[in-house]
């Protein structure tokens, strides 16, 4: 029997990747689509991307028989959407981030555990060929135990094109939560480590004085459970229109026996072992497009051992990122990553 999906919110373009994959996958069935925002509904109607069946989420949940709710609303609305769906007994898969506060995340985790429901997320960097290759090499011991990671996820802001709700107070939830979630997830997955502490984090307004509350720059330092360190920059300072090398998702990973560097979009990784005079360039493995949906379906089907991304991993990653965001917002240092 196909897994029946209902979608709520189409206010960020990422959700259309999930929508298309659900529509194209014979294991899935699209049964409903809700958009509460009138302006977004007006944009969607002539586009042909999706047929909106409901204008209120509560009505959709009451009227439609479905197994899973896919959430793509404005960030500040996602946590409540997920909680509402879980309370109705539905699995949830969301674009990242899945919520904007640790309190919401705690409730999501409690509801999922109590009702044995799955929470998935579009953490699609795990599906990227170069990063899958980096994980394979590191898990095979090529650079020894991971000790330091430096990653950057610089994005263009594209002011005037990016959804306007980004700049509404309370709707964005912070640039660390928005962007660093991808890199934090990848580091834990690649290195096989958990995060112990947010040593320091900062998020600030660098170039959009017309939106003084909006954080368009963000950096942080975190400590891994083996005392290794992670540094990241996930600012919106990349030149407008530039989603490309070397600024867009670059990972430099040092271990006790060598170093690996890669960027998404590249067909090779740089690998150097201790004692070598020059680097080796390793061809990237194929990617796994849509792997995040495959993992969600595997977990729903009762096969979490086949899933590369599981509910506990989604919750743990979101908790670390929200802890870092909170540390930045409150000016705190040396904050333990205690989860929810």
């Amino acid at each position: 029997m196909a897994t029946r999906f209902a979608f709520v919110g189409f206010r960020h373009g990422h959700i259309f990747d999930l929508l298309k994959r659900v529509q194209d996958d014979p294991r899935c069935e699209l049964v409903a689509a809700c958009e509460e925002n009138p302006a977004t509904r007006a944009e969607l109607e002539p586009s042909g991307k999706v047929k909106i069946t409901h204008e209120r989420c509560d009505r959709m949940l009451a009227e439609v028989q479905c197994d899973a709710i896919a959430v793509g609303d404005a960030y500040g609305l996602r946590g409540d959407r997920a909680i509402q769906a879980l309370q109705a007994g539905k699995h949830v898969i969301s674009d990242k981030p899945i919520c904007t506060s640790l309190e919401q995340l705690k409730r999501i985790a409690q509801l999922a555990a109590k009702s044995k429901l799955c929470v998935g997320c579009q953490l699609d960097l795990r599906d990227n060929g170069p990063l899958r290759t980096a994980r394979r090499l590191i898990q095979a011991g090529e650079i020894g135990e991971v000790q330091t990671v430096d990653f950057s996820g610089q994005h263009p802001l594209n002011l005037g094109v990016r959804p306007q709700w980004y700049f509404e107070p309370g709707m964005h939830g912070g640039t660390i939560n928005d962007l660093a979630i991808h890199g934090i997830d990848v580091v834990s997955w690649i290195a096989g480590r958990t995060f112990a502490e947010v040593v320091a984090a900062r998020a600030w307004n660098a170039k959009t004085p017309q939106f003084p509350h909006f954080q368009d720059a963000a950096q942080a330092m975190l400590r891994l459970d083996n005392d290794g360190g992670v540094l990241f920059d996930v600012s919106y300072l990349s030149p407008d229109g530039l989603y490309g090398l070397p600024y867009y998702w670059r990972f430099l990973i040092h271990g006790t026996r060598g170093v690996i560097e890669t960027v998404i979009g590249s067909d090779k990784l740089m690998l150097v072992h201790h004692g070598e005079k020059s680097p080796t360039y390793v061809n990237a493995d194929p990617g796994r497009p849509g792997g995040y949906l495959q993992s969600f379906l595997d977990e729903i089907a009762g096969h979490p051992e086949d899933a590369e991304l599981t509910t506990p991993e989604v919750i743990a990653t979101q908790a670390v990122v929200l802890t870092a965001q909170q540390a930045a917002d409150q000016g705190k240092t040396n904050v333990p990553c205690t989860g929810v």
Side-chain angles (χ1 to χ4, degrees):
M1 181 178 176
T3 300
R4 298 165 298 181
F5 283 80
F7 280 66
V8 56
F10 296 88
R11 299 183 71 185
H12 193 292
H14 289 170
I15 198 65
F16 292 101
D17 181 78
L18 176 56
L19 176 67
K20 187 174 188 309
R21 294 188 187 283
V22 166
Q23 290 172 321
D24 291 347
D25 195 317
R27 300 164 300 172
C28 303
E29 180 184 2
L30 176 64
V31 295
C34 172
E35 178 51 67
E36 292 194 353
N37 183 265
T40 304
R41 284 201 307 272
E43 293 172 4
L44 286 172
E45 286 172 2
S47 73
K49 289 181 178 180
V50 62
K51 177 178 174 56
I52 299 299
T53 61
H54 291 77
E55 296 181 3
R56 284 177 48 188
C57 182
D58 57 352
R59 289 280 300 274
M60 183 179 74
L61 286 170
E63 296 172 358
V64 175
Q65 291 187 342
C66 63
D67 306 299
I69 301 296
V71 182
D73 220 322
Y75 297 165
L77 301 176
R78 289 182 183 177
D80 288 342
R81 299 291 193 217
I83 290 168
Q84 192 176 10
L86 291 165
Q87 287 174 329
K90 313 301 181 186
H91 303 290
V92 170
I93 183 169
S94 177
D95 176 28
K96 60 78 200 167
I98 62 174
C99 60
T100 56
S101 77
L102 284 165
E103 292 75 17
Q104 288 176 326
L105 184 64
K106 182 176 181 179
R107 184 64 176 144
I108 289 167
Q110 288 172 338
L111 288 167
K114 179 181 178 181
S115 300
K116 295 182 171 55
L117 295 168
C118 302
V119 178
C121 190
Q122 290 182 247
L123 295 173
D124 57 359
L125 286 197
R126 289 191 180 210
D127 305 330
N128 177 264
L131 295 179
R132 294 179 69 81
T133 313
R135 181 177 189 271
R136 174 174 61 79
L137 294 171
I138 288 169
Q139 292 295 310
E142 286 288 341
I143 63 168
E145 183 180 358
V146 170
Q147 289 295 325
T148 68
V149 182
D150 184 347
F151 73 81
S152 61
Q154 284 273 357
H155 283 58
L157 185 57
N158 294 332
L159 193 63
V161 176
R162 193 167 292 278
Q164 187 60 32
W165 56 258
Y166 263 65
F167 309 101
E168 296 174 9
M171 278 294 139
H172 183 241
T175 291
I176 291 175
N177 191 40
D178 177 8
L179 300 180
I181 187 168
H182 276 303
I184 292 296
D185 178 62
V186 163
V187 170
S188 184
W189 174 66
I190 279 180
R193 308 237 63 101
T194 60
F195 285 85
E197 180 184 41
V198 178
V199 179
R202 183 180 177 222
W204 71 100
N205 181 278
K207 69 173 185 179
T208 49
Q210 65 272 46
F211 304 111
H213 59 277
F214 180 73
Q215 302 168 350
D216 49 31
Q219 298 173 327
M221 173 190 294
L222 293 89
R223 181 170 62 85
L224 295 169
D225 61 345
N226 68 339
D227 254 5
V230 177
L231 297 170
F232 70 70
D233 185 325
V234 290
S235 302
Y236 274 110
L237 296 177
S238 189
D240 281 356
L242 178 63
Y243 288 92
L245 309 180
Y247 313 105
Y248 190 61
W249 295 123
R250 166 189 170 271
F251 290 82
L252 179 65
I253 307 166
H254 283 87
T256 53
R257 296 180 53 237
V259 60
I260 284 176
E261 182 179 32
T262 190
V263 290
I264 70 167
S266 176
D267 61 354
K268 296 185 185 302
L269 295 80
M270 185 196 76
L271 170 64
V272 185
H273 300 109
H274 281 324
E276 295 179 341
K277 301 293 186 183
S278 59
T280 298
Y281 291 93
V282 180
N283 291 330
D285 298 339
R288 188 190 184 217
Y292 67 86
L293 176 58
Q294 175 66 58
S295 290
F296 185 61
L297 294 172
D298 285 340
E299 193 175 13
I300 288 176
H303 301 292
E305 69 279 1
D306 295 330
E308 292 191 4
L309 177 64
T310 63
T311 297
E313 291 174 296
V314 170
I315 298 297
T317 291
Q318 185 69 77
V320 171
V321 176
L322 283 169
T323 299
Q325 183 67 62
Q326 190 175 85
D329 293 342
Q330 298 179 358
K332 293 183 177 180
T333 58
N334 303 108
V335 181
C337 294
T338 56
V340 294

